[in-house]
Amino acid sequence: PLEKFPKEVPASIGDIIFQMSSGLYGARDENGDFDELKYQKVMKFCKMTEIKIAQGAKQTGGKLAGAKVTADIAYYRGVPKGENIFSPNRFPYANTTEELLDFVEKLQKLSDKPVGFKIVVSDAEDFEEIASLIAERKKKGRPIPDFITVDSGEGGSATAPLELMESVGLSTNNALYVVDTLLKQYEVREDIKIIASGKILTPDDVIITLSMGADAVGMARGFMMSGGCIRARMCSGF
């Protein structure tokens, strides 16, 4: 029940980003559709929203074994406890670039906090459509994404099919070059932050990634390796 959510965020809470996946977990109703009220409740805890459109190694959608769906996970995801979860392979409100940007605007108005999306870049032509539409919206005075997270064809976890790991999408550095260059070309780079993820592990990786145009990086590789999620292909409850 939503009454469990506190009215105010505890002062000790960290800087949490709400990642909204194709299953809309944490912000879905009983039918699996987007629930505005639940989303606003979740955003009491979070500083911004990242819409996960795609990850390079999960083009078939995510899979979580029922054994890992504990009572806590079931509660926060809004799914039955102990049952397998199969996330859709595409985000339900991103059938077109325009629809995605409309949904970003909707979440910005509902949360009054930054909203962006996470994508995998396959080639410059596909991303140019996104950059051009963002520029058009800016000229019209409409809200545009606050950030874009660039994932890559590198990486993957125990939940990713082996045939897709390391094989879908450009590498992190190549993708960053495309995104940074096109956002500058359409004069929206100063309005949008770029976050990079995808097999970033060492301090050298961070420096190179920032040099290629990223404003910030997301690092999970080291934690997945220490948890056995990479080589052993065995992950913990999360």
Side-chain angles (χ1 to χ4, degrees):
L2 294 177
E3 304 86 69
K4 286 190 176 182
F5 287 99
K7 293 182 179 180
E8 299 295 335
V9 178
S12 60
I13 197 166
D15 292 339
I16 300 174
I17 300 173
F18 176 51
Q19 187 183 75
M20 185 183 294
S21 68
S22 60
L24 305 177
Y25 302 122
R28 54 186 269 156
D29 61 20
E30 294 179 354
N31 298 317
D33 298 319
F34 178 64
D35 187 310
E36 294 185 4
L37 179 58
K38 282 188 176 180
Y39 172 69
Q40 290 178 310
K41 293 287 187 179
V42 168
M43 291 311 296
K44 287 180 176 289
F45 295 88
C46 304
K47 294 295 180 71
M48 64 185 195
T49 302
E50 179 184 80
I51 301 171
K52 188 175 74 174
I53 301 301
Q55 287 177 289
K58 289 187 179 179
Q59 296 299 309
T60 58
K63 302 175 180 61
L64 185 63
K68 297 181 180 180
V69 184
T70 63
D72 286 341
I73 291 177
Y75 169 73
Y76 286 109
R77 285 201 173 197
V79 297
K81 174 185 174 182
E83 293 187 12
N84 295 333
I85 299 176
F86 297 95
S87 299
N89 70 339
R90 61 174 57 221
F91 195 80
Y93 303 106
N95 294 298
T96 65
T97 301
E98 195 68 54
E99 183 181 18
L100 169 61
L101 296 178
D102 285 343
F103 191 66
V104 168
E105 180 178 349
K106 180 177 183 178
L107 297 187
Q108 288 170 325
K109 292 178 178 178
L110 286 172
S111 67
D112 196 28
K113 294 179 179 179
V115 179
F117 53 85
K118 181 179 185 178
I119 58 172
V120 175
V121 179
S122 296
D123 57 50
E125 184 177 348
D126 287 342
F127 186 76
E128 186 166 10
E129 178 190 359
I130 297 176
S132 63
L133 286 174
I134 289 175
E136 287 181 19
R137 294 170 81 93
K138 179 183 177 181
K139 290 179 181 178
K140 295 176 181 177
R142 298 185 63 182
I144 62 175
D146 296 284
F147 66 93
I148 295 175
T149 301
V150 181
D151 199 42
S152 70
E154 303 163 310
S157 68
T159 61
L162 285 172
E163 63 271 16
L164 292 183
M165 292 177 68
E166 310 285 343
S167 63
V168 177
L170 297 175
S171 66
T172 301
N173 291 335
N174 287 336
L176 280 173
Y177 176 78
V178 169
V179 173
D180 184 58
T181 299
L182 285 171
L183 290 181
K184 288 177 179 176
Q185 179 180 319
Y186 283 91
E187 300 181 348
V188 291
R189 178 64 179 92
E190 295 300 317
D191 304 289
I192 298 175
K193 299 297 185 183
I194 298 177
I195 304 173
S197 66
K199 212 173 184 179
I200 299 171
L201 175 60
T202 67
D204 290 352
D205 294 335
V206 174
I207 292 172
I208 293 171
T209 303
L210 294 176
S211 298
M212 290 301 297
D215 296 295
V217 299
M219 297 180 66
R221 174 69 26 170
F223 298 101
M224 289 193 293
M225 289 177 69
S226 64
C229 199
I230 302 298
R231 292 186 174 89
R233 292 185 61 76
M234 295 290 290
C235 293
S236 67
F238 292 96

